[in-house]
């Protein structure tokens, strides 16, 4: 499978990258890990005239904690996310999801920025990012914009990334020590499979460890975009983990209500709804039980 | 705009090559460098036959543009045995000994993935091995003998072939 001849530029820095994108307009494509783009070039589903590679930009794959915010450079690979000690400690839900993407080979090349910008409804990193209340920092020639993950996705493959911009960084408030998260996805095989339906469930206790202070619940693969489920979050926040656990069935029902799956070759809409219900309840039990343990006086 | 020459270190050897932007790394390896041990299976990043190590990490050579490997080390199956070509690498020995090779098409990719796994985790569990090679498809062996071969290379496997 050959690729149509095209130009390739390795940007030395971010401003050069955005200038190149700006001057080339829609003819240009941003090359991150290439696991989707190169495949699309091979299949002639994408035919840009110029590729702007971000891989040489210093610090664009940095993962750090600064002023209470976790910051992840868009070029960080899935494998790095899955294993990163800071993320494992503070936002394990993202590590769980990143570790379930594709094969080891794909995780070594594919990036979180690519996963976000390709905006597959089934993208594994997306529901956890919604649940963590992430925001995306995009860069263009006239400066940066910050777009909430909740508002970023508009349809399959469609986002609010401003034209001429590239995604630079993902940020979210660092969850406190008494937080827990869980991502579950349905797939036909134990590894290397696309998500048929996914549930991300993140919650944190208040400082006293008595009540759930915040919750983020999001679904993937069951709507044109990943969706957050405020109706399910309301059943948890302001309650003790024990009380919240009693709402597990209602949480499942709220998630089903927020899903609008379609019948496709992977599963029927009905089956996806059933799975959302089951996984939402399993996630709720797992996270809330963990929080119950964490909330106990030491 | 002309592309600068591509610099890659393949099996320890420096190469400075003029490579068109649309060249896939796999084609560069197989056609330009004539290292045909790396196989093209699906060409779509699904089968793992083209797995090479990029700076020590397994990747699909079929899904990378050659220029994405600029400045990187690329290790292919040809670089694994000793340079004189007389002694196989312990992982290769184990694949032969355990009968982990049938048609052989998946073997170079499979061994490269196993090498990367054992380099970072010299004592993988059976599950670690299965997870690591999940992206390397084999249609002959049923995987049992491959897992046996990789297990046999683990430290403490009693074979005195502690690798990595």
């Amino acid at each position: 499978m050959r690729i149509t001849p095209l130009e390739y530029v390795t940007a030395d820095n971010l401003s050069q990258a955005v200038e190149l994108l700006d001057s080339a307009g829609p003819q240009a494509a941003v090359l991150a890990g290439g696991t989707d783009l190169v495949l699309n070039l091979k299949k002639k589903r994408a035919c840009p005239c110029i590729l702007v590679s971000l891989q040489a930009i210093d610090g664009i794959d940095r993962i750090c904690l600064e002023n209470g915010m976790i910051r992840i450079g868009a070029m960080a690979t899935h494998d790095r996310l899955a294993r990163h000690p800071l993320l494992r400690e503070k936002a394990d839900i993202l590590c769980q999801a990143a570790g379930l993407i594709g094969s080891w080979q794909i995780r070594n090349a594919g990036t979180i920025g690519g996963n976000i910008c390709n905006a597959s409804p089934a993208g594994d990193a997306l529901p956890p990012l919604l649940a963590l209340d992430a925001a995306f920092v995009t860069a263009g020639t006239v400066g940066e914009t910050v777009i909430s993950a909740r508002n970023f996705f508009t349809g399959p493959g469609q986002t609010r990334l401003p034209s001429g911009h590239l995604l630079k960084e993902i940020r979210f408030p660092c969850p406190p020590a008494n937080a827990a998260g869980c991502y579950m996805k349905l797939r036909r095989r134990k590894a290397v499979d696309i998500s048929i339906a996914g549930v991300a469930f993140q919650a944190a206790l208040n400082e006293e460890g008595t009540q759930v202070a915040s919750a983020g619940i999001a679904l993937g693969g069951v709507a044109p975009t990943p969706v957050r489920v405020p109706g399910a979050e309301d059943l948890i926040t302001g309650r003790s983990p024990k009380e919240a656990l009693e709402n597990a069935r209602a949480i499942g029902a709220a998630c089903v209500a927020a899903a609008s799956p379609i019948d496709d070759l992977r599963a029927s809409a009905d089956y996806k709804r059933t799975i959302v219900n089951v996984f939402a309840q399993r996630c709720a039990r797992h996270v809330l039980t963990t929080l119950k343990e964490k909330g106990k006086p030491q | 705009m002309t592309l600068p020459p591509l610099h890659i270190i393949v099996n320890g050897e420096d190469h400075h090559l003029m490579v068109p932007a649309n060249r896939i790394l796999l084609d560069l390896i197989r056609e330009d460098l004539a290292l045909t041990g790396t196989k093209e299976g699906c060409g779509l990043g699904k089968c793992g036959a083209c797995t090479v190590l990029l700076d020590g990490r397994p990747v699909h050579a079929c899904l990378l543009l050659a220029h994405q490997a600029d400045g990187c080390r690329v290790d292919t199956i040809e670089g694994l045995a000793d340079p004189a070509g007389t002694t196989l690498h312990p992982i290769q020995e184990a694949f032969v000994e355990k009968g982990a090779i049938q048609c052989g098409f998946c073997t170079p990719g499979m061994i490269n993935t196993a090498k990367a796994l054992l380099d970072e985790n010299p004592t993988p569990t059976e599950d670690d091995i299965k997870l690591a090679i999940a992206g390397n498809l084999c249609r002959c062996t049923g995987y049992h003998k491959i897992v046996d071969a990789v297990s046999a290379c683990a430290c403490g496997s009693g074979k005195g072939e502690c690798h990595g």
Side-chain angles (χ1 to χ4, degrees):
Chain A
M1 260 172 289
R2 302 289 166 144
I3 293 174
T4 312
L6 75 182
E7 277 192 73
Y8 184 104
V9 187
T10 305
D12 294 324
N13 52 55
L14 204 62
S15 49
Q16 193 196 354
V18 293
E19 273 160 33
L20 282 162
L21 284 180
D22 188 57
S23 59
Q27 310 287 324
V30 175
L31 176 64
T35 50
D36 279 315
L37 179 56
V38 175
L39 187 62
N40 288 338
L41 292 172
K42 281 187 160 188
K43 292 195 160 180
K44 313 280 187 270
R45 287 192 296 227
C47 40
C49 299
I50 177 166
L51 297 180
V52 179
S53 165
L54 307 184
Q55 79 182 91
I57 298 175
D58 201 32
I60 199 166
D61 61 350
R62 201 167 66 122
I63 300 174
C64 66
L65 172 60
E66 246 177 50
N67 301 325
M69 297 293 280
I70 291 186
R71 303 174 56 175
I72 302 171
M75 285 289 283
T77 62
H78 305 308
D79 192 67
R80 267 189 72 223
L81 255 72
R83 297 158 185 254
H84 199 276
L86 171 71
L87 298 177
R88 291 285 287 269
E89 186 196 334
K90 302 289 189 188
D92 190 57
I93 189 170
L94 196 51
C95 305
Q96 295 170 29
L100 288 172
I101 294 174
S103 59
W104 193 13
Q105 289 92 329
I106 293 288
R107 291 193 297 276
N108 280 328
T111 65
I112 185 165
N115 203 235
I116 293 167
C117 291
N118 285 320
S120 161
D124 280 304
L126 312 183
L129 289 171
L130 263 68
L132 288 163
D133 239 336
F136 303 146
V137 185
T138 75
T141 46
V142 290
E144 295 185 350
T145 59
V146 180
I147 307 169
S148 148
R150 245 182 287 185
N151 300 326
F152 189 74
F153 304 99
T154 54
Q158 304 295 315
T159 71
R160 293 211 164 85
L161 183 74
S163 91
H165 278 232
L166 59 86
L167 175 64
K168 177 190 149 186
E169 187 178 277
I170 296 93
R171 286 182 194 162
F172 54 86
C174 181
N178 56 11
C182 179
Y183 177 70
M184 285 187 184
K185 79 168 183 180
L186 176 72
R187 53 217 162 122
R188 288 168 304 177
R189 292 179 292 170
K190 284 185 183 166
V192 201
D193 209 353
I194 188 169
S195 165
I196 299 169
V199 177
F201 196 117
Q202 174 79 20
L205 294 174
N206 57 5
E207 278 182 32
E208 299 76 33
T210 52
Q211 287 187 346
V212 177
S214 64
I217 299 172
L219 313 175
V222 289
T225 66
V227 286
R228 202 158 155 172
V229 194
E233 295 163 6
D234 292 343
L235 294 163
I236 304 163
T237 46
R239 290 171 171 80
S240 72
K242 187 167 176 284
E243 287 165 349
L245 263 170
E246 286 162 11
N247 286 338
R249 279 171 182 274
I251 293 166
C255 287
V256 171
S260 50
I262 52 167
D263 293 314
D264 62 20
L265 72 156
R266 295 189 191 99
S268 68
D270 253 2
Y271 185 56
K272 290 177 193 172
R273 272 190 285 267
T274 304
I275 284 299
V276 163
N277 189 6
V278 171
F279 280 12
Q281 293 193 48
R282 278 188 201 165
C283 281
R285 291 203 178 91
H286 176 80
V287 170
L288 294 168
T289 310
T290 310
L291 289 184
K292 212 160 86 179
E293 294 298 316
K294 286 194 176 194
K296 278 184 185 164
Q298 298 298 306
Chain B
M1 256 179 283
T2 46
L3 264 170
L6 169 69
H7 173 219
I8 51 172
I9 305 133
V10 181
N11 300 329
E13 196 180 321
D14 276 283
H15 294 270
H16 296 267
L17 305 161
M18 294 308 292
V19 181
N22 60 342
R23 195 81 166 141
I24 293 287
L25 179 63
L26 176 63
D27 296 336
L28 177 131
I29 291 169
R30 287 183 56 86
E31 293 169 15
D32 300 348
L33 302 179
L35 296 171
T36 53
T38 305
K39 304 303 179 194
E40 177 162 28
C42 64
L44 304 170
K46 295 182 190 300
C47 76
C50 67
T51 302
V52 297
L53 303 185
L54 190 71
D55 286 339
R57 316 196 58 78
V59 292
H60 296 299
C62 76
L63 278 194
L64 282 172
L65 294 169
H67 280 275
Q68 289 182 269
D70 190 31
C72 296
R73 267 187 304 122
V74 177
D75 293 309
T76 72
I77 193 70
E78 287 88 347
L80 202 54
D82 83 307
T86 51
T87 319
L88 291 177
H89 186 277
I91 302 175
Q92 292 171 307
E93 293 279 8
F95 268 64
V96 173
E97 192 185 309
K98 297 287 179 187
I101 303 170
Q102 286 186 26
C103 87
F105 200 80
C106 75
T107 310
M110 197 68 86
I111 289 180
N112 274 328
T113 303
K115 167 83 164 55
L117 171 70
L118 290 162
D119 281 348
E120 69 167 37
N121 177 8
T123 56
T125 63
E126 193 178 315
D127 280 349
D128 292 337
I129 296 169
K130 286 181 179 171
L131 202 58
I133 64 167
N136 292 84
L137 301 187
C138 170
R139 300 290 81 167
C140 304
T141 65
Y143 301 101
H144 287 285
K145 290 175 188 297
I146 292 172
V147 174
D148 287 349
V150 181
S151 298
C153 300
C155 283
S157 61
K159 289 196 59 214
E161 281 179 353
C162 188
H163 161 85

